Amino acid sequence: MPDPADKTVLRLREFLPYRLSVLSNTVSRGIADLYDRAFGLSIWQWRVMAVLGENAAITATEIGQFTAMDKVAVSRAVASLLDSGHIAREASLEDGRRALLSLTAKGKDVYEQIVPIALGAERNLVSALSAEEHAQLDGLMEKLARAAAPDRDLW
Amino acid sequence: MPDPADKTVLRLREFLPYRLSVLSNTVSRGIADLYDRAFGLSIWQWRVMAVLGENAAITATEIGQFTAMDKVAVSRAVASLLDSGHIAREASLEDGRRALLSLTAKGKDVYEQIVPIALGAERNLVSALSAEEHAQLDGLMEKLARAAAPDRDLW
DNA sequence: GAAATATAGTTACATATGAAACTATATTAG
DNA sequence: CTAATATAGTTTCATATGTAACTATATTTC
């Protein structure tokens, strides 16, 4: 029997990186639409809010680490969220370079509304899988993530 | 025991769409670097070439269908590949709007060189998995793709 | 067989993105 | 204590990307 590890021909549709990319883009686009339609938030803005919903009073740099966003993307998302009043910034007393960020009341309100939408979208996606398959998927993605970024042992 | 389907709290790191996105971006970026360093090709240019390596003399529209690229992205990739001499264009005799695209000798040469690099990158990624896990992954991604884009029953 | 409509592909424009330069504050070395 | 270096975050600039408008050819309708 042929071992897939011996492949010498490339079929794009069977090529894992390609399949991952198409799947991820399809999923992300669908979800981004939900956030945008309901609250006018981009996926980057939402990620920042999501992290602030889990962790109060953290810095932009920490947000970048939690969200896998680069610092420019964080800076822009933070600027727009400050502007729209979803988050607030407070200078750090110990270190003048840092600024502590947190959700405002408005931001918390939006956050509480989006969480169920996001979880619903996730549930909808995994509804195609049994509980066992879902668990498998978690494990497989964990392994792939390690293989793809061996350095980043944070997660 | 808690059923994950009952989640009411959102943890970004456990959120499937987010994990998919980060994984896909990490993988894609690594591979894009390979193509770019070795041949100065973007991932879009490479995808067009990959499809032309599998299917000779197809149109830009068909390339778009095979690669999940929109027509503007295909148009741009095609223009640059014509320019760099990797592909050639021939007007269709039956339909003046269509143009048939195919790899040139140079394009074929590059294609033959990239295929093993691409397959090697894929192998490296899935080397973290057993053969059984790899098969599971294929099945799970198939199901997720269907759930994410129920319309696109092409694949 | 002309007018209306559809399709293939390109161009233009507005916006998003990333890399590098920059500002301001902290820390380290001597 | 001052100079050199590091870090947090922003701005600038060049490029990438998506949407909509456009051109050219085909097809359909009457």
Side-chain angles (χ1 to χ4, degrees), chain A residues 20-71:
Chain A
L20 255 182
S21 169
V22 172
L23 174 60
S24 166
N25 288 341
T26 306
V27 170
S28 287
R29 176 175 288 238
I31 294 190
D33 273 2
L34 290 179
Y35 302 154
D36 184 32
R37 260 199 301 262
F39 300 98
L41 293 172
S42 75
I43 210 156
W44 309 110
Q45 292 168 333
W46 164 245
R47 281 195 191 166
V48 167
M49 289 186 63
V51 171
L52 289 175
E54 296 178 75
N55 314 274
I58 60 177
T59 67
T61 299
E62 290 170 318
I63 291 177
Q65 291 161 351
F66 285 135
T67 58
M69 290 165 68
D70 72 86
K71 66 180 182 174

Side-chain angles (χ1 to χ4, degrees), chain A residues 122-150:
Chain A
E122 182 184 39
R123 215 162 6 236
N124 182 52
L125 186 63
V126 298
S127 68
L129 310 181
S130 70
E132 193 195 346
E133 287 173 323
H134 188 174
Q136 282 176 359
L137 180 66
D138 274 348
L140 293 172
M141 291 207 34
E142 181 70 27
K143 289 191 179 184
L144 289 177
R146 281 187 207 288

Side-chain angles (χ1 to χ4, degrees), chain B residues 15-34:
Chain B
F15 188 56
L16 182 59
Y18 169 74
R19 297 211 299 154
L20 254 182
S21 169
V22 172
L23 175 60
S24 165
N25 288 341
T26 305
V27 170
S28 287
R29 174 174 289 237
I31 293 190
D33 273 2
L34 291 178

Side-chain angles (χ1 to χ4, degrees), chain B residues 40-41 45 49 77-87 104 106-107:
Chain B
L41 294 172
Q45 291 168 333
M49 290 186 63
V78 163
S80 58
L81 289 170
L82 286 169
D83 210 51
S84 58
H86 289 98
I87 69 175
T104 59
K106 175 181 177 182

Side-chain angles (χ1 to χ4, degrees), chain B residues 29 59-61 71-72 75 89 97-99:
Chain B
R29 174 174 289 237
T59 67
T61 300
K71 65 180 181 172
V72 176
S75 176
R89 176 160 54 185
R97 294 167 304 181
R98 298 175 178 223

Side-chain angles (χ1 to χ4, degrees), chain A residues 59-61 71-72 75 89 97-99:
Chain A
T59 67
T61 299
K71 66 180 182 174
V72 176
S75 177
R89 175 159 56 186
R97 295 166 304 180
R98 298 174 176 222

